[in-house]
């Protein structure tokens, strides 16, 4: 996470807790014992057909080869995601790779990618370290056949 230099860093405790409690909707990609990719996600408690993707990271050495897309699709194929018909994520306007990832996912799933306002800079309490706006990407509806 730290190496990406664009993702918010959370505490080690929160990542440990995440891997214990949300392992069914999260995924790690490894090669020769080295971690190359990670996605943390959860089913929206207010809408159980939505999978919210919190953080996606692929090691710089492995980017551009479809790994993030593959991890997202693996998650969608899991039994726990059988009732998921939408993927949601928030993305900063400047994060082109992430925007391409979610737009590309929509294309591959033969569905739409709807982009709407979500959080704005002023919503973030730490005004000393300005946080970019976050746009909400909603991908779907996703059919079972296209997963
Ligand atoms: C965003 C990120 C996870 C993408 O991982 P990746 O494994 O390289 O993504 P993929 O190879 O699956 O690419 C998916 C799509 O994005 C496009 N893409 C990937 N990197 C890109 C870049 N730097 N610029 C433009 N498009 C890019 C790919 O061409 C592909 O498009 P396609 O579907 O039309 O073929 C990776 O760049 C990363 O870890 N970035 C730092 C952390 C971050 O920003 N995370 C997202 C916010 S939570």
């Amino acid at each position: 996470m730290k190496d990406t230099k664009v993702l918010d860093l959370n505490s080690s405790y929160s990542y440990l807790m995440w891997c214990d409690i949300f392992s069914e909707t999260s995924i790690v990609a490894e090669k020769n014992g080295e971690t190359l990719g990670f996605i943390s996600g959860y089913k929206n408690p207010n809408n159980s057909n939505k999978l919210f993707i919190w953080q996606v990271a692929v090691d710089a050495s492995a980017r551009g080869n479809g790994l993030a897309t593959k991890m997202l699709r693996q998650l969608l194929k899991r039994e726990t995601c059988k009732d998921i018909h939408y993927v949601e994520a928030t993305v900063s306007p400047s994060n082109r790779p992430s925007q391409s990832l979610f737009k590309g996912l929509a294309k591959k799933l033969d569905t739409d990618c709807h982009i709407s306002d979500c959080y704005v800079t002023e919503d973030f309490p730490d005004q000393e370290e300005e946080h970019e706006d976050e746009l909400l990407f909603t991908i779907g509806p996703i059919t079972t056949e296209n997963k």
Side-chain angles (χ1 to χ4, degrees), residues 91-101 103:
V91 181
S92 322
S94 69
N95 194 334
R96 298 298 295 277
S98 189
Q99 297 196 20
S100 302
L101 169 66
K103 286 179 186 167

Side-chain angles (χ1 to χ4, degrees), residues 35-98:
T35 300
L36 292 183
F38 174 65
I39 293 181
S40 50
Y42 62 87
K43 285 196 237 178
N44 186 328
N46 301 318
N47 196 333
S48 61
N49 73 4
K50 289 185 174 174
L51 176 69
F52 188 86
I53 299 298
W54 182 32
Q55 290 191 309
V56 187
V58 168
D59 187 74
S61 67
R63 287 182 195 161
N65 297 312
L67 182 57
T69 306
K70 193 171 180 184
M71 289 192 293
L72 286 170
R73 298 199 73 173
Q74 285 284 329
L75 284 176
L76 286 170
K77 282 185 207 300
R78 289 184 181 171
E79 177 66 15
T80 192
C81 289
K82 69 176 192 310
D83 295 327
I84 294 293
H85 297 299
Y86 293 87
V87 168
E88 285 191 330
T90 71
V91 181
S92 322
S94 69
N95 194 334
R96 298 298 295 277
S98 189

Side-chain angles (χ1 to χ4, degrees), residues 21-42:
I21 300 175
F22 297 102
S23 59
E24 287 196 355
T25 46
S26 302
I27 188 165
V28 171
E30 285 183 337
K31 191 176 179 186
N32 301 328
E34 214 183 303
T35 300
L36 292 183
F38 174 65
I39 293 181
S40 50
Y42 62 87

